[in-house]
Amino acid sequence: MKITIIGAGAMGTLFAGLLSKGGNDVYLLARNKKTEKILKKTGIKISGITKTTIPSSKLKITINPAEICCPDLVIILVKSYDTISTVPSIKKMMGKNTVILTLQNGLGNYEILSEYLNKKRIISGTTSESATLVKSGDIVHTGKGETIIEEGDFSGQIAGIFNRCGIKTVLSDKIESVIWSKLVLNCAINPVAAISGVRNGEIIKYKNLFEVAVEAGKEVVTVAKKMKIKILFSDVTQIIKNVCLATSKNTNSMLADILSKRKTEIDSLNGAVVKIAEKLKVPAPVNKNLYRIVKKLEKSN
């Protein structure tokens, strides 16, 4: 399959490496010439759970979407605040049979894409794979998890290819529930770690941090219920604890962004929840405060 991956960060590099290793024709669309130059020189190195090296000769690396004609699949793995910036690139490369898959965190990505592109060709999904970027082209595969994509005309073929490449993938006819269930965890764990400067596993070691995470998660569940969206677990406290234990050594993406003085995805996570909560007149004070503190940390960077 001819696959374009937009986003050469940790997750984009991970998927590019695994899909290329699996024999697919992979194009990696980088953001700038510096990243393009590095990737063309070094290729991709994955360490950690997966150990593999993909030479640059096995990949097509470019910053110019016009060089990528009519891929079968475009996977979007940029930060949620960059979703809108992918639209011109997709339009330049998209053929009549191209399918677009978003595996991004947070709310609003599908809606942004469907506003400008043919929504019949867009698939929503989410992934629990995790990776840390050491430097361009060099990542550590820190956690294996399930990738879930919504059922559709093209989803089965994509899932089959992903599974053959070692990316465990299943289909769901309740993708909104899947996305919101992950949102509960991201809104609970990511900002607490980012603000306190600790890895995921340390959150449960400190009673005050864990209590804040749990309350944030419960608020998101309340908002989802108000919207008649079913969350896929019943015990919020236990699932947050389980995820913190399973990813105990992870420096989550929001903490990594703060440490690297980058913009975070707080607007599409807690910020998005707060906006919906205000419209529905549902109290969400913990999410509101987490949002405000992370935004202050961003500004101080």
Side-chain angles (χ1 to χ4, degrees):
M1 180 178 270
K2 183 175 181 179
I3 301 171
T4 297
I5 294 172
I6 302 181
M11 294 303 295
T13 303
L14 176 66
F15 272 72
L18 295 175
L19 290 168
S20 178
K21 184 183 177 185
N24 295 283
D25 186 15
V26 176
Y27 289 72
L28 185 55
L29 187 65
R31 176 182 292 186
N32 54 59
K33 283 188 174 294
K34 182 181 177 182
T35 303
E36 179 190 39
K37 185 177 179 180
I38 292 169
L39 289 168
K40 282 185 172 179
K41 182 179 179 181
T42 66
I44 289 174
K45 176 190 174 186
I46 304 175
S47 57
I49 293 170
T50 301
K51 294 176 176 61
T52 191
T53 301
I54 310 294
S56 58
S57 59
K58 297 289 185 181
L59 296 161
K60 285 81 174 179
I61 301 152
T62 183
I63 58 168
N64 184 5
E67 293 179 4
I68 308 170
C69 180
C70 306
D72 301 303
L73 175 65
V74 175
I75 305 173
I76 303 178
L77 282 165
V78 299
K79 298 285 190 180
S80 55
Y81 51 77
D82 282 330
T83 300
I84 187 68
S85 71
T86 69
V87 172
S89 297
I90 294 170
K91 285 183 174 180
K92 286 179 182 176
M93 69 176 83
M94 192 167 181
K96 64 178 183 178
N97 296 318
T98 300
V99 177
I100 303 155
L101 171 64
T102 167
L103 293 175
Q104 299 159 279
N105 283 333
L107 300 178
N109 298 299
Y110 172 84
E111 289 76 12
I112 290 170
L113 294 168
S114 62
E115 188 175 343
Y116 298 97
L117 303 164
N118 182 356
K119 64 173 62 179
K120 292 180 180 178
R121 312 297 300 182
I122 304 169
I123 299 173
S124 289
T126 183
T127 184
S128 295
E129 296 281 354
S130 61
T132 300
L133 186 70
V134 178
K135 57 186 177 182
S136 292
D138 186 352
I139 63 162
V140 181
H141 189 184
T142 54
K144 284 196 70 67
E146 208 167 52
T147 296
I148 305 173
I149 60 178
E150 67 177 315
E151 288 187 351
D153 295 339
F154 322 103
S155 304
Q157 184 185 5
I158 295 168
I161 288 168
F162 279 18
N163 280 310
R164 285 194 292 275
C165 294
I167 304 167
K168 184 183 177 184
T169 305
V170 297
L171 305 183
S172 173
D173 60 355
K174 297 179 176 62
I175 198 65
E176 195 171 38
S177 288
V178 172
I179 288 170
W180 270 82
S181 296
K182 186 179 181 185
L183 183 71
V184 172
L185 300 171
N186 282 339
C187 287
I189 298 169
N190 291 19
V192 171
I195 292 165
S196 58
V198 302
R199 294 184 178 186
N200 290 358
E202 292 176 75
I203 291 173
I204 57 177
K205 293 180 180 179
Y206 298 97
K207 185 181 178 183
N208 58 337
L209 296 183
F210 186 56
E211 286 176 349
V212 171
V214 169
E215 286 306 309
K218 286 181 176 178
E219 287 180 357
V220 181
V221 171
T222 300
V223 173
K225 285 181 178 177
K226 188 76 171 179
M227 297 174 69
K228 295 182 168 37
I229 296 171
K230 181 180 172 61
I231 298 300
L232 302 176
F233 44 80
S234 56
D235 191 335
V236 177
T237 303
Q238 191 60 50
I239 195 75
I240 291 172
K241 185 177 182 180
N242 290 348
V243 171
C244 285
L245 285 170
T247 61
S248 61
K249 295 181 180 178
N250 284 16
T251 298
N252 72 47
S253 58
M254 193 173 290
L255 173 55
D257 288 338
I258 291 295
L259 292 174
S260 300
K261 302 185 184 304
R262 296 188 298 256
K263 186 177 179 181
T264 74
E265 292 184 289
I266 194 72
D267 288 292
S268 64
L269 297 172
N270 306 73
V273 170
V274 169
K275 282 185 178 179
I276 295 168
E278 287 174 348
K279 287 180 183 177
L280 297 175
K281 294 182 168 51
V282 175
V286 177
N287 279 275
K288 186 177 286 188
N289 282 320
L290 290 173
Y291 173 73
R292 286 173 176 168
I293 296 168
V294 172
K295 292 302 284 186
K296 283 182 179 179
L297 288 173
E298 283 184 348
K299 287 179 182 178
S300 68
N301 284 339

